[in-house]
């Protein structure tokens, strides 16, 4: 073994994970130009490539998180770990033997990775070496799922699915507030599964069994609600993940329809991407979605064991 190879292996070990050539990696689209919608309509998305599992990678990628420096985290409840991709795509994992069912993840600054461990009913925070920094207190949450971090990196918002509420946690893992209760009125939830924080600090919540997206202000007051149960464009059947870009466009995955629907800031449908399949722009049980650096959309394509990446093409002026 060369000295350089030894240094790489030692560095990976210090980070608390494992890097390997047969693990996940990003494969760029190259010269293959695929856009959606197809001409003559104005293209909004272009195929950018995919994070592929390799021989020893993802089992069932679910939740996604992105950092301002280009890092990507992928919560994988099938493998019981969280995969971390460096900006150049190199992968390692954290949490082996420390997590039961990691379903979502988020970066809190450069030093903290927070993971929702759904079956354990806890949030778990890791440092850059993969060491557990804190766990939220047992019993404070029943089934944590989607998580989001505010722009200041001070508040972590968590969907507590089976208690039908959002829980607000500080960066030390202490609960400092909650929003909502079970119901169908504005500000109430029925199995919320994911949350994103968008422009002006607004909360975008997948209110799954009310078949809608709720938009709340930072204090939890209702701003806008859209969506109904159905099987046509703009409706929901099993909404799963949500993300928001800088212009206020809203991206919602639907696990049963195998699509990602894109809405403007007022909840009006702009387009739907996907169908059941294994090709680019096709999905099998899409889960988490994330907008990376305002320029790429990432979609966890759970049963295809990959994360697809798309370039965002449409200008800002149409979205609000």
């Amino acid at each position: 073994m060369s000295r350089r190879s030894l240094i790489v292996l030692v560095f990976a070990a210090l980070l608390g994970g494992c890097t390997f050539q047969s693990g996940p990696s990003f494969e760029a689209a190259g010269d293959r130009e695929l856009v959606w919608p197809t001409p003559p309509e104005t293209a909004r998305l272009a195929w950018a490539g995919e994070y592929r599992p390799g021989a020893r990678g993802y089992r069932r990628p679910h939740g996604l998180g992105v950092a301002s420096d280009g890092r990507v985290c992928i919560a994988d409840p099938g493998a019981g770990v969280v995969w971390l991709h460096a900006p150049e795509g190199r992968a390692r994992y954290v949490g082996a033997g420390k997590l039961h069912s990691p379903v979502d993840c988020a970066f809190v600054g450069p030093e903290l990775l927070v993971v929702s461990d759904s079956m354990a009913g806890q949030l778990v925070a890791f440092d850059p070496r993969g060491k557990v920094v804190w766990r939220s207190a047992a019993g404070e949450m029943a089934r944590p799922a989607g998580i989001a971090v505010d722009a200041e990196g001070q508040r972590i918002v968590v969907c507590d699915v089976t208690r039908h509420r959002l829980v607000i946690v500080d960066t030390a893992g202490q609960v400092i507030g909650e929003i909502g209760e079970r119901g169908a009125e504005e500000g109430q939830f029925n199995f919320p599964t994911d949350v994103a924080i968008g422009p002006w600090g607004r909360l975008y919540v997948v209110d799954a069994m009310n078949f809608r997206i709720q938009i709340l202000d930072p204090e939890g007051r209702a701003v806008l609600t859209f969506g109904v149960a159905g099987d046509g464009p703009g409706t929901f059947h099993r909404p799963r993940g949500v993300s928001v870009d800088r212009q206020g466009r809203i991206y919602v995955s639907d696990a049963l329809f195998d699509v990602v629907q894109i809405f403007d800031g007022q909840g009006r449908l702009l387009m739907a991407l996907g169908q059941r399949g294994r090709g680019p722009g096709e999905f099998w049980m899409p889960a988490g979605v994330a907008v990376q650096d305002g320029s790429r959309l990432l979609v966890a394509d759970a049963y295809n064991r990959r994360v697809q990446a798309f370039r965002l093409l449409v200008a800002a002026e149409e979205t609000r």
Side-chain angles (χ1 to χ4, degrees), residues 211-266:
F211 307 100
R212 64 186 181 181
I213 300 297
Q214 288 204 62
I215 305 176
L216 311 175
D217 72 13
E219 285 71 45
R221 295 183 291 261
V223 174
L224 177 72
T225 298
F226 68 90
V228 295
D231 58 5
T235 66
F236 301 119
H237 201 298
R238 286 292 182 270
R240 183 64 58 84
V242 65
S243 190
V244 187
D245 67 20
R246 294 171 181 171
Q247 287 74 42
R249 287 182 293 252
I250 305 161
Y251 304 80
V252 185
S253 64
D254 195 301
L256 189 66
F257 290 159
D258 297 306
V259 299
V260 175
Q261 298 191 91
I262 305 175
F263 300 87
D264 70 11
Q266 298 302 311

Side-chain angles (χ1 to χ4, degrees), residues 247 249 314-320:
Q247 287 74 42
R249 287 182 293 252
V314 178
E317 53 267 16
E318 67 152 29
T319 63
R320 302 219 176 167

Side-chain angles (χ1 to χ4, degrees), residues 15-103:
L15 287 173
C18 180
T19 58
F20 37 81
Q21 290 184 346
S22 60
S25 61
F26 182 73
E27 182 174 312
D31 296 331
R32 189 179 186 185
E33 183 68 14
L34 295 174
V35 298
W36 296 270
T38 56
E41 295 186 59
T42 301
R44 302 177 186 276
L45 299 172
W47 172 247
E50 62 186 24
Y51 291 88
R52 306 185 69 178
R56 300 170 57 193
Y58 320 129
R59 300 272 185 87
R60 183 162 50 89
H62 192 276
L64 303 173
V66 295
S68 58
D69 61 5
R71 290 173 295 156
V72 175
C73 66
I74 302 171
D76 186 347
V81 301
V82 175
W83 299 92
L84 301 176
H85 286 266
E88 70 275 10
R90 179 177 54 86
R92 62 184 180 94
Y93 60 79
V94 299
K98 303 173 183 176
L99 298 169
H100 296 276
S101 178
V103 296

Side-chain angles (χ1 to χ4, degrees), residues 82-303:
V82 175
W83 299 92
L84 301 176
H85 286 266
E88 70 275 10
R90 179 177 54 86
R92 62 184 180 94
Y93 60 79
V94 299
K98 303 173 183 176
L99 298 169
H100 296 276
S101 178
V103 296
D104 204 6
C105 54
F107 295 102
V108 183
E111 299 298 327
L112 211 59
L113 172 74
V114 178
V115 180
S116 55
D117 192 351
S118 186
M119 291 183 65
Q122 292 180 303
L123 297 186
V124 184
F126 295 90
D127 69 11
R129 296 173 176 262
K131 179 181 178 181
V132 173
V133 178
W134 52 256
R135 294 179 183 268
S136 61
E140 287 188 328
M141 288 171 273
R143 190 57 68 93
I147 56 180
V149 181
D150 68 11
E152 292 74 30
Q154 298 300 312
R155 296 200 315 165
I156 304 165
V157 184
V158 190
C159 292
D160 192 0
V161 180
T162 55
R163 289 181 180 167
H164 313 285
R165 62 178 183 160
L166 304 180
V167 178
I168 316 301
V169 179
D170 66 19
T171 57
Q174 301 299 309
V175 173
I176 58 175
E178 63 178 79
I179 298 170
E181 60 185 359
R182 190 169 197 177
E185 301 298 321
E186 290 185 341
Q188 297 179 329
F189 306 108
N190 192 15
F191 295 95
T193 58
D194 199 15
V195 60
I197 299 179
W200 307 292
R202 289 177 173 175
L203 307 176
Y204 295 74
V205 184
V206 178
D207 190 3
M209 297 309 294
N210 281 327
F211 307 100
R212 64 186 181 181
I213 300 297
Q214 288 204 62
I215 305 176
L216 311 175
D217 72 13
E219 285 71 45
R221 295 183 291 261
V223 174
L224 177 72
T225 298
F226 68 90
V228 295
D231 58 5
T235 66
F236 301 119
H237 201 298
R238 286 292 182 270
R240 183 64 58 84
V242 65
S243 190
V244 187
D245 67 20
R246 294 171 181 171
Q247 287 74 42
R249 287 182 293 252
I250 305 161
Y251 304 80
V252 185
S253 64
D254 195 301
L256 189 66
F257 290 159
D258 297 306
V259 299
V260 175
Q261 298 191 91
I262 305 175
F263 300 87
D264 70 11
Q266 298 302 311
R268 295 174 295 227
L269 180 67
L270 297 173
M271 69 166 288
L273 168 71
Q275 60 182 8
R276 174 69 65 87
R278 298 182 180 277
E282 298 176 338
F283 307 106
W284 188 9
M285 293 286 285
V289 291
V291 174
Q292 184 180 32
D293 194 31
S295 62
R296 292 209 308 178
L297 172 68
L298 304 180
V299 182
D301 190 3
Y303 282 15

